[in-house]
Amino acid sequence: AQSVTQLDSQVPVFEEAPVELRCNYSSSVSVYLFWYVQYPNQGLQLLLKYLSGSTLVESINGFEAEFNKSQTSFHLRKPSVHISDTAEYFCAVSYTSGGYQKVTFGTGTKLQVIP
Amino acid sequence: NAGVTQTPKFQVLKTGQSMTLQCAQDMNHNSMYWYRQDPGMGLRLIYYSASEGTTDKGEVPNGYNVSRLNKREFSLRLESAAPSQTSVYFCASSLTGAKNIQYFGAGTRLSVL
């Protein structure tokens, strides 16, 4: 079975400070890794993904995540956060099961940026 | 581009009432999903449909039924609503294959009294 652990349910951080949101996963099959972001009263949308190649992936708004196979982690970082980054962030693993795509989501981390 | 459209956005039901949540996507995706989101529990898969004409149970299917009406539409039905089904429901769609992104609707906020 596949599982995703986001140990931090809430992370408060001051504006312009750096932040790291942690994600660890467990899987018995090959998976692809995703971070989704959910702004208040909206659905989830993709932030970034790791499929293969360079283990460091970046988003267009300054977030980055590094895939670490040995530690089974995919932590999300941003060197300087903005008020607009206030949202809930979900780590997810995607895999094929029975010929179909399955996605397991973590429980989410709420990032609260303090002015 | 509309993407994934869910209706209604809000709904209040009494215990025992029934309702259908509608979902439609305009991206020609084969796969569609229904999730529920509860505080501290992330998203849990209720049902999914890998292609038109097929549906399968997810992690929490009890109390729900689905219909994949055509390639665009995937509805979720609560036959006899219970307070435990108070939640936010999200529909999503994707192309076939584990590498693909899931695209989400804006959600339906359901309260069962």
Side-chain angles (χ1 to χ4, degrees):
Chain A
Q2 283 56 246
S3 67
V4 178
T5 301
Q6 292 181 250
L7 286 175
D8 303 310
S9 59
Q10 295 191 54
V11 173
V13 62
F14 286 104
E15 193 174 15
E16 298 184 2
V19 69
E20 178 180 79
L21 306 184
R22 296 178 294 167
C23 172
N24 288 88
Y25 69 94
S26 173
S27 178
S28 56
V29 299
S30 178
V31 297
Y32 301 101
L33 298 162
F34 296 78
W35 275 100
Y36 286 85
V37 59
Q38 183 180 30
Y39 298 104
N41 299 313
Q42 295 185 24
L44 279 71
Q45 57 187 273
L46 180 74
L47 185 62
L48 47 75
K49 61 183 178 180
Y50 173 76
L51 302 181
S52 64
S54 172
T55 57
L56 185 65
V57 291
E58 298 178 355
S59 72
I60 58 173
N61 58 352
F63 282 94
E64 63 180 30
E66 185 160 19
F67 170 58
N68 188 318
K69 188 173 183 178
S70 62
Q71 297 186 6
T72 59
S73 68
F74 191 51
H75 300 330
L76 182 69
R77 302 184 186 94
K78 189 169 185 181
S80 176
V81 296
H82 302 287
I83 293 291
S84 59
D85 294 325
T86 294
E88 190 160 16
Y89 293 79
F90 292 91
C91 184
V93 296
S94 177
Y95 55 98
T96 301
S97 175
Y100 306 129
Q101 179 193 28
K102 300 284 180 65
V103 179
T104 298
F105 289 88
T107 52
T109 298
K110 289 185 178 178
L111 175 62
Q112 181 185 8
V113 180
I114 304 165
Chain B
N1 289 337
V4 179
T5 303
Q6 290 183 237
T7 56
K9 294 191 187 314
F10 303 93
Q11 185 70 49
V12 179
L13 294 177
K14 294 180 180 178
T15 297
Q17 287 185 317
S18 62
M19 78 161 296
T20 300
L21 282 64
Q22 307 286 354
C23 175
Q25 52 92 9
D26 62 2
M27 294 173 283
N28 202 35
H29 289 165
N30 284 324
S31 301
M32 297 186 74
Y33 312 81
W34 276 106
Y35 294 93
R36 60 178 289 173
Q37 183 180 26
D38 301 291
M41 303 190 74
L43 275 77
R44 292 182 292 169
L45 183 65
I46 304 171
Y47 271 92
Y48 67 97
S49 171
S51 62
E52 184 179 354
T54 68
T55 62
D56 284 285
K57 294 178 180 179
E59 183 184 353
V60 289
N62 291 344
Y64 305 96
N65 285 301
V66 291
S67 295
R68 183 74 182 267
L69 304 170
N70 47 56
K71 193 171 185 178
R72 291 187 63 248
E73 298 173 289
F74 188 39
S75 62
L76 178 72
R77 183 162 178 82
L78 286 70
E79 290 291 351
S80 179
S84 60
Q85 294 178 304
T86 294
S87 187
V88 182
Y89 292 86
F90 288 100
C91 177
S93 71
S94 71
L95 292 169
T96 302
K99 292 184 178 182
N100 291 296
I101 303 162
Q102 293 201 343
Y103 293 85
F104 287 80
T108 295
R109 284 153 183 80
L110 175 67
S111 292
V112 183
L113 306 177

